[in-house]
Amino acid sequence: MSGSVVLLHLAGAIALLLWATRMVRTGVERAYGDVLRHKLRATMRNPFMAVLTGCALSIALQSSTAVTLLVGSFAGAGIVSGMSGQLAVRGAEIGSALVVKLLSFDLSLLVPICLATGTMMFMATERRSWRQFGRILVGIGLLILSLEMIGEASEPLRESRLLPVIVDYFSTDPVTAYLLAAFITWLFHSSIAAVLLLVTLAGRGFIPPELGVVLVLGVNLGSSVIAPLLTRHAEPGVRVVPIGNLLMRGAGSLILMIAFTWAKPPVAYLGSTVPDQIINAHILFNCLILIAGIPLAGLIYRASEKIVVLGTPPDPAESLAAAELSALNESALDTPSQALANATREVVRVCETVEIMLKRIIELYEKADAEKIAALAALDDRVDRKHQAIKLYLAKISARQLTEAEALHHQELIGACVKLEQVGDIIVRNMLAHVQKKLDRGLEFTEEGWRELSRFHASVLTNARMAFNLLVSRDPETARQLVEEKDRLRALEKEASQSHFLRLREGTAKSVETSSIHLDTIRDLKQINSLLASIAYPVLEEQGLLRGSRLQAS
């Protein structure tokens, strides 16, 4: 078999490994994401529980990077402290190392079981939770299968004359080997996939133990770089935890690599075989980083904050607060097509502000203070100002001679602008009042009640983004999907209300205390969804896909 064919088979096996890992993570996030997030928020105040929760989440999501991003977003929203977030990430790294250990056993019998069972579950039902669990099983089966494929694909390399030369070179140049492992891990965006690849190749005798330890340290460097790069454009608060992980894990791997190549300690104590030595070195490294990270958590957190502040450019809004950019150019009014394009740009900006409001309001339900409440109310003031400016600009456009298409677009923008202003009012006048009531009375939702609200809000937020995109794309399929989602939300509201009244009949104390807030919030979110879904009607009507107030059959 030629070298190019061997590399092609190896590349395909590695691609399947990465896809399977992503499939498992996606299935877990879709089926149990809300539960996992709720558990994370509830346990992060205890340092010991933060470590355990991070470890469990990493095992479930098959990715320490996913946990780092999740914890970073919570820290940025003020839901968890930065120090607790650092400890949760430490636990997540150990969790990902344990996943590698688990997958190193002979699990070949699970491949047909997982593939057959998962496929049957996915195809035999429309229930979302069962389908996602089927997806998880299929992903696990493909993950194990990919490891077998990597082993088989690399078997012809035993006869290669070039491979021993390459291995000998990297054995004498640990720095290059260390950086190459870091680059491959960043390329894979998965330390689990990178270490599993090393373990499989080591099992075929391609990697000596000393080089394996150096490569594992490089993998940990590469893994610590992924989250900071993915969050480089995020808010400063979100970036603190990923930067702290880079400081601790990345710097730790560099220090230990230098110490290992200088002292050259024996690696036999790590295991009887090279694959065991690589896996155990990976676990040992992350345990050492956890032990060192507990007393250094405060120092690392403060250093991360300073680095984030230094790397954050000054906000133009602060230095040029009086200069608010507007697309409503008066000189374009004599050209209606250009003026309508300007108005569309400004409406899209209002969409962005409303999306921020809708995203932040659910965070305030869980943890609110006077400063955050005032900040959200200020966003509504911005929406009102832009709403008035857009209405005045559109009124001036209507005084010009418009074609039929321009007149329809003009009416569509007016309708969208009014609906966006109404959504902002619902968030501030209704939902923010619920937040204040919950804060003043010290109320807490039940775990099931909060999960229902979070799921309902997530659906409304997803639909809002579709509606905002529709203003620009005017895609009929998106419009149809948006209206269909309105019916699904109606069924979801009915289901949530029935569950809530069932908890009331059972006498759950928290359900009684938060009953009005829970039901009113569901009602407000449904009203917001209805307003945004109506943005799709002009597009559907233009395409002849709307009959009365209902969709025509496809």
Side-chain angles (χ1 to χ4, degrees):
M1 186 181 294
S2 66
S4 58
V5 174
V6 172
L7 292 177
L8 182 62
H9 281 283
L10 189 59
I14 293 172
L16 180 61
L17 172 64
L18 297 175
W19 177 255
T21 304
R22 180 182 179 85
M23 180 178 287
V24 174
R25 183 169 68 249
T26 302
V28 172
E29 288 177 344
R30 291 180 180 177
Y32 310 109
D34 292 338
V35 177
L36 294 176
R37 290 178 177 88
H38 185 76
K39 292 292 185 184
L40 178 63
R41 294 172 176 177
T43 58
M44 288 289 284
R45 296 180 181 88
N46 184 309
F48 178 72
M49 290 303 298
V51 173
L52 291 181
T53 305
C55 181
L57 276 175
S58 184
I59 294 173
L61 296 174
Q62 301 271 294
S63 172
S64 59
T65 299
V67 178
T68 302
L69 296 174
L70 180 61
V71 173
S73 66
F74 286 163
I79 296 171
V80 301
S81 69
M83 290 182 61
S84 294
Q86 303 278 359
L87 294 175
V89 172
R90 299 278 68 76
E93 307 297 356
I94 294 178
S96 69
L98 293 178
V99 170
V100 175
K101 182 67 175 179
L102 179 64
L103 293 174
S104 67
F105 297 117
D106 183 10
L107 304 173
S108 56
L109 184 61
L110 289 178
V111 174
I113 296 175
C114 288
L115 291 178
T117 306
T119 302
M120 289 175 57
M121 292 179 66
F122 190 86
M123 299 183 68
T125 179
E126 292 298 323
R127 291 184 60 182
R128 179 181 175 87
S129 59
W130 284 93
R131 286 172 65 87
Q132 296 308 322
F133 189 68
R135 181 193 296 271
I136 294 168
L137 289 178
V138 171
I140 292 173
L142 293 177
L143 182 59
I144 300 170
L145 178 62
S146 68
L147 297 177
E148 297 178 3
M149 291 176 60
I150 291 173
E152 294 174 1
S154 60
E155 188 66 27
L157 295 176
R158 290 178 183 272
E159 303 173 2
S160 172
R161 296 180 181 179
L162 180 61
L163 186 62
V165 177
I166 296 175
V167 172
D168 288 341
Y169 171 76
F170 283 125
S171 297
T172 57
D173 188 0
V175 174
T176 302
Y178 173 77
L179 294 176
L180 178 63
F183 174 75
I184 290 175
T185 305
W186 171 81
L187 199 63
F188 286 1
H189 270 42
S190 171
S191 62
I192 293 176
V195 176
L196 285 174
L197 177 61
L198 294 180
V199 170
T200 305
L201 295 177
R204 293 296 190 274
F206 299 135
I207 300 177
E210 291 78 9
L211 178 60
V213 173
V214 172
L215 292 174
V216 162
L217 293 173
V219 166
N220 282 278
L221 172 65
S223 180
S224 68
V225 171
I226 298 171
L229 289 178
L230 292 176
T231 58
R232 63 188 181 277
H233 299 306
E235 298 177 358
V238 175
R239 295 162 52 203
V240 172
V241 170
I243 290 294
N245 184 45
L246 175 61
L247 290 179
M248 196 68 209
R249 192 181 182 201
S253 71
L254 179 60
I255 293 170
L256 285 180
M257 196 279 289
I258 295 172
F260 180 79
T261 54
W262 175 71
K264 293 184 172 57
V267 297
Y269 65 89
L270 290 173
S272 57
T273 65
V274 179
D276 286 341
Q277 291 167 356
I278 290 177
I279 294 171
N280 293 335
H282 186 45
I283 295 174
L284 178 61
F285 168 79
N286 285 288
C287 288
L288 291 175
I289 294 299
L290 171 62
I291 294 171
I294 292 175
L296 294 176
L299 177 63
I300 294 297
Y301 176 65
R302 289 190 294 273
S304 304
E305 282 189 315
K306 291 182 180 179
I307 291 174
V308 168
V309 170
L310 289 174
T312 303
D315 186 359
E318 295 180 0
S319 57
L320 300 173
E324 187 174 357
L325 189 63
S326 173
L328 305 179
N329 187 354
E330 296 282 339
S331 62
L333 288 172
D334 291 331
T335 308
S337 60
Q338 185 62 49
L340 289 171
N342 291 341
T344 302
R345 285 174 55 197
E346 200 69 8
V347 172
V348 169
R349 287 177 179 169
V350 176
C351 290
E352 293 172 352
T353 304
V354 171
E355 181 178 347
I356 293 172
M357 294 174 66
L358 189 57
K359 184 179 178 182
R360 294 282 173 83
I361 187 64
I362 198 68
E363 298 171 358
L364 296 184
Y365 269 78
E366 187 164 17
K367 185 176 181 180
D369 55 45
E371 183 179 349
K372 292 179 180 179
I373 291 175
L376 189 62
L379 289 178
D380 186 53
D381 293 338
R382 183 194 301 178
V383 170
D384 290 341
R385 288 197 307 271
K386 286 187 174 292
H387 172 242
Q388 292 297 329
I390 294 171
K391 282 202 306 182
L392 179 60
Y393 191 75
L394 289 172
K396 294 178 181 178
I397 295 176
S398 65
R400 270 67 175 178
Q401 188 70 29
L402 302 180
T403 65
E404 183 179 353
E406 289 171 345
L408 289 173
H409 190 195
H410 179 272
Q411 290 300 317
E412 184 179 345
L413 289 175
I414 291 177
C417 194
V418 170
K419 292 177 180 68
L420 291 170
E421 196 263 345
Q422 290 174 338
V423 169
D425 286 345
I426 293 171
I427 293 174
V428 171
R429 296 178 184 177
N430 297 356
M431 299 182 71
L432 205 54
H434 305 329
V435 169
Q436 189 67 57
K437 178 180 178 181
K438 179 176 177 292
L439 178 64
D440 293 341
R441 299 185 183 181
L443 302 178
E444 293 293 336
F445 292 109
T446 62
E447 182 176 333
E448 186 178 355
W450 175 248
R451 187 161 61 247
E452 287 174 356
L453 281 180
S454 298
R455 183 176 62 165
F456 201 90
H457 173 269
S459 298
V460 173
L461 183 59
T462 300
N463 294 343
R465 288 166 176 161
M466 276 200 297
F468 301 155
N469 291 338
L470 187 62
L471 281 173
V472 179
S473 68
R474 299 185 58 77
D475 175 48
E477 186 56 37
T478 301
R480 172 181 286 276
Q481 183 180 353
L482 190 59
V483 175
E484 289 173 345
E485 280 292 309
K486 182 178 178 180
D487 293 332
R488 190 182 74 85
L489 259 291
R490 186 182 298 113
L492 193 61
E493 180 210 15
K494 183 178 180 181
E495 179 185 336
S497 297
Q498 289 174 345
S499 298
H500 178 73
F501 284 120
L502 179 61
R503 292 193 298 274
L504 284 179
R505 285 201 300 269
E506 293 173 350
T508 305
K510 288 185 177 180
S511 294
V512 175
E513 293 173 345
T514 60
S515 178
S516 63
I517 297 178
H518 184 282
L519 294 176
D520 288 346
T521 299
I522 292 289
R523 181 203 62 200
D524 292 334
L525 287 171
K526 180 189 173 186
Q527 187 177 357
I528 288 173
N529 188 78
S530 298
L531 285 168
L532 296 176
S534 64
I535 292 177
Y537 292 160
V539 177
L540 293 171
E541 189 173 2
E542 182 180 321
Q543 298 292 326
L545 298 174
L546 200 65
R547 182 175 56 200
S549 61
R550 307 297 297 170
L551 284 171
Q552 288 188 3
S554 299

